[in-house]
């Protein structure tokens, strides 16, 4: 079946006078002078030089000089916007043609894609299912498992060593703690004994009188003099 | 129980009165739950300045030192009690001084040059 040409989309030509122009560089929306459009379009269509050489228009068509907030003109008071008329028979024919065209194109595209994929797959399978490919695969697998073994051994060694170190440290910590506890207890024992020793000399209600008498009899003097050489003089008379 | 020192300045009196005052004081301490370790006499000497207490001017006083272990709550009550006692010129409660166990390393030399100029921050 012959490939259908894509049907003509436009059935009506847009006259040139409908097109408006604006000067290049001017912002859309301001009041701009309208330039004669039709003559310029004809002049342009007669040009045959390449685009880079052609005299480019200074005025560029813009989409109307009114912005959306400007009120519509009085001449457009009773304007009814009607869509362009459509011939139903023509529409049917055209859409049917388009459908068939697209169907055929899509089928072809799919076909080509499938072919390409089939080729790739066969290539891949050929590459993989060869004898040397099998050998290489086996060799690589063997190497991989050897590597895994080696790393596993290393890891286990490391873990074991760390475990040992942890146990050592824990033991050391326990020993330290025990030693500290022991020292603390010994210190407390010593303090208690010392206090017991001192308690023998405490003042009790019974020996209060003797102690007061003894205290009044022995005045103590803590004053002393010292010089830079370190000679101490304890004898001093309280005034 | 923390260890306190009571530096007691008593009025310059005769011996039996001094003994009675000390007895009173120590009994008051023991009543409030203190344990008295030792009582020391630092002699009767002239005070460093004239102290007027209980409508009297004192120039001489007897210095006594009582070290005891007691609960901290008795300090304020004892201060009240001793403040009311006529024979007591000045009671002072101190924490028992802890003697340093480390060896004294001597005078640390001070850099006088640094001290001469103020350091502006």
């Amino acid at each position: 079946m012959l490939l259908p040409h894509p049907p003509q989309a436009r059935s009506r030509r847009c006259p040139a006078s409908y097109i408006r122009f604006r000067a290049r560089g001017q912002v859309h929306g301001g009041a701009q002078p309208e330039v004669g459009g039709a003559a310029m379009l004809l002049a342009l269509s007669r040009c045959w030089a390449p685009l880079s050489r052609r005299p480019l228009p200074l005025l560029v068509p813009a989409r109307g000089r009114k912005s959306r907030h400007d009120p519509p003109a009085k001449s457009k008071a009773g304007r009814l916007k009607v869509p362009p008329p459509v011939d139903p028979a023509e529409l049917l024919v055209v859409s049917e043609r388009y459908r068939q065209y697209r169907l055929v194109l899509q089928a072809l595209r799919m076909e080509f894609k499938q072919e390409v994929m089939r080729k790739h797959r066969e290539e891949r399978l050929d590459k993989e299912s060869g004898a040397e490919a099998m050998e290489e695969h086996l060799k690589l697998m063997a190497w991989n498992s050897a590597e895994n073994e080696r790393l596993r051994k290393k890891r286990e060694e490391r873990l074991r060593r760390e475990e040992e170190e942890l146990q050592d440290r824990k033991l050391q910590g326990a020993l330290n703690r025990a030693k500290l506890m022991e020292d603390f207890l010994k210190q407390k024992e010593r303090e208690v004994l010392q206090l017991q020793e001192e308690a023998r000399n405490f003042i009790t209600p019974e020996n209060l009188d003797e102690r007061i008498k003894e205290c009044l009899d022995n005045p103590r003097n803590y004053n002393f003099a010292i010089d830079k050489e370190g000679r101490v003089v304890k004898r001093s008379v309280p005034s | 129980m923390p260890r306190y020192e009571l530096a007691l300045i008593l009025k310059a009196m005769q011996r039996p009165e001094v003994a009675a005052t000390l007895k009173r004081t120590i009994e008051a301490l023991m009543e409030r739950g203190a344990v008295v370790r030792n009582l020391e006499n630092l002699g009767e000497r002239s005070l460093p300045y004239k102290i007027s207490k209980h409508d009297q001017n004192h120039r001489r006083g007897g210095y006594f030192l009582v070290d005891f272990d007691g609960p901290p709550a008795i300090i304020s009550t004892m201060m009240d009690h001793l403040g009311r006692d006529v024979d007591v010129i000045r009671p002072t409660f101190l924490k028992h001084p802890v003697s340093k166990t480390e060896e004294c390393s001597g005078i640390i030399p001070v850099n006088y040059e640094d001290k001469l100029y103020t350091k502006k921050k």
Side-chain angles (χ1 to χ4, degrees):
Chain A
M1 160 185 135
L2 279 172
L3 209 63
H5 293 294
Q8 280 213 341
R10 269 208 239 166
S11 54
R12 223 170 52 147
R13 288 183 63 88
C14 201
S17 56
Y18 283 18
I19 304 173
R20 286 188 180 217
F21 288 83
R22 88 179 137 89
R24 196 187 300 193
Q26 282 204 359
V27 180
H28 170 87
Q32 277 129 26
E34 195 191 302
V35 186
M40 194 163 288
L41 190 62
L42 287 170
L44 278 178
S45 62
R46 262 185 256 130
C47 243
W48 58 88
L51 261 169
S52 52
R53 289 275 217 86
R54 272 184 238 180
L56 293 167
L58 286 166
L59 302 165
V60 175
R63 196 84 202 145
R65 49 172 249 162
K66 278 196 179 176
S67 73
R68 62 169 23 153
H69 307 292
D70 296 327
K74 276 186 278 188
S75 59
K76 302 272 182 297
R79 178 165 177 259
L80 276 170
K81 283 202 281 189
V82 272
V86 172
D87 186 15
E90 192 200 347
L91 182 68
L92 224 78
V93 163
V94 161
S95 36
E96 184 58 34
R97 283 189 197 171
Y98 259 126
R99 191 185 68 81
Q100 284 168 1
Y101 167 71
R102 285 182 193 139
L103 188 75
V104 166
L105 276 189
Q106 198 180 18
L108 281 171
R109 234 180 265 137
M110 290 295 162
E111 200 59 48
F112 295 147
K113 259 196 214 163
Q114 266 193 2
E115 200 180 312
V116 166
M117 275 178 57
R118 206 181 312 130
K119 274 211 188 108
H120 283 322
R121 204 182 320 133
E122 270 163 26
E123 216 174 289
R124 193 162 47 89
L125 284 174
D126 283 338
K127 200 165 62 132
E128 278 183 9
S129 61
E132 60 274 346
M134 274 301 189
E135 267 177 31
E136 198 179 325
H137 177 75
L138 286 170
K139 205 161 56 147
L140 285 169
M141 289 298 280
W143 181 85
N144 189 26
S145 31
E147 269 294 309
N148 281 352
E149 268 303 309
R150 185 175 71 85
L151 289 170
R152 189 167 65 84
K153 283 206 176 56
K154 259 182 126 174
R155 184 174 47 242
E156 270 167 20
E157 179 64 37
R158 179 175 57 87
L159 284 171
R160 199 176 49 77
R161 213 179 315 128
E162 271 176 16
E163 192 67 34
E164 267 179 26
E165 269 169 31
L166 191 68
Q167 290 302 325
D168 275 337
R169 245 177 282 144
K170 274 198 174 148
L171 193 69
Q172 204 60 40
L175 284 171
N176 279 359
R177 268 199 300 277
K179 198 158 71 73
L180 284 169
M181 205 59 185
E182 212 182 292
D183 286 340
F184 178 71
L185 287 170
K186 279 212 188 93
Q187 174 71 25
K188 287 296 170 209
E189 272 291 322
R190 254 180 281 151
E191 278 176 19
V192 164
L193 285 168
Q194 211 216 338
L195 202 60
Q196 276 175 347
E197 282 291 318
E198 285 172 11
R200 268 189 261 135
N201 295 344
F202 283 177
I203 299 177
T204 65
E206 289 81 27
N207 56 8
L208 180 62
D209 289 319
E210 291 100 40
R211 289 300 283 268
I212 290 176
K213 202 154 41 113
E214 181 197 318
C215 147
L216 286 171
D217 286 332
N218 313 339
R220 288 203 58 178
N221 191 2
Y222 289 106
N223 302 327
F224 67 95
I226 192 166
D227 70 353
K228 282 195 188 166
E229 274 81 49
R231 289 177 293 191
V232 176
V233 170
K234 283 232 183 220
R235 191 172 58 98
S236 73
V237 177
S239 56
Chain B
M1 285 199 286
R3 202 163 153 178
Y4 295 103
E5 238 179 31
L6 167 58
L8 204 56
I9 309 182
L10 297 181
K11 206 162 93 163
M13 304 175 284
Q14 301 301 321
R15 197 181 151 119
E17 287 151 359
V18 165
T21 310
L22 285 172
K23 188 161 167 175
R24 257 207 318 267
T25 309
I26 293 181
E27 263 165 20
L29 274 172
M30 294 213 272
E31 226 175 283
R32 282 163 180 76
V35 171
V36 183
R37 280 181 193 241
N38 197 12
L39 174 58
E40 279 166 14
N41 177 13
L42 305 175
E44 187 187 305
R45 41 188 308 170
S46 65
L47 301 174
Y49 43 84
K50 191 171 70 177
I51 301 178
S52 58
K53 188 92 180 170
H54 300 297
D55 296 328
Q56 272 182 342
N57 282 343
H58 306 272
R59 284 188 181 276
R60 290 187 70 81
Y63 284 73
F64 292 92
L65 204 58
V66 185
D67 56 9
F68 64 97
D69 289 279
I74 66 171
I75 303 296
S76 45
T77 50
M78 277 308 292
M79 286 291 278
D80 286 337
H81 180 268
L82 291 169
R84 281 192 291 269
D85 195 342
V86 188
D87 292 328
V88 165
I89 300 177
R90 190 161 290 183
T92 313
F93 283 92
L94 307 158
K95 279 193 276 205
H96 188 90
V98 184
S99 52
K100 283 207 196 17
T101 44
E102 14 175 297
E103 192 64 36
C104 176
S105 57
I107 304 173
I108 305 164
V110 178
N111 192 351
Y112 291 115
E113 241 180 82
D114 282 343
K115 285 202 180 213
L116 190 59
Y117 302 105
T118 50
K119 276 178 245 182
K120 289 230 175 89
K121 280 185 199 171

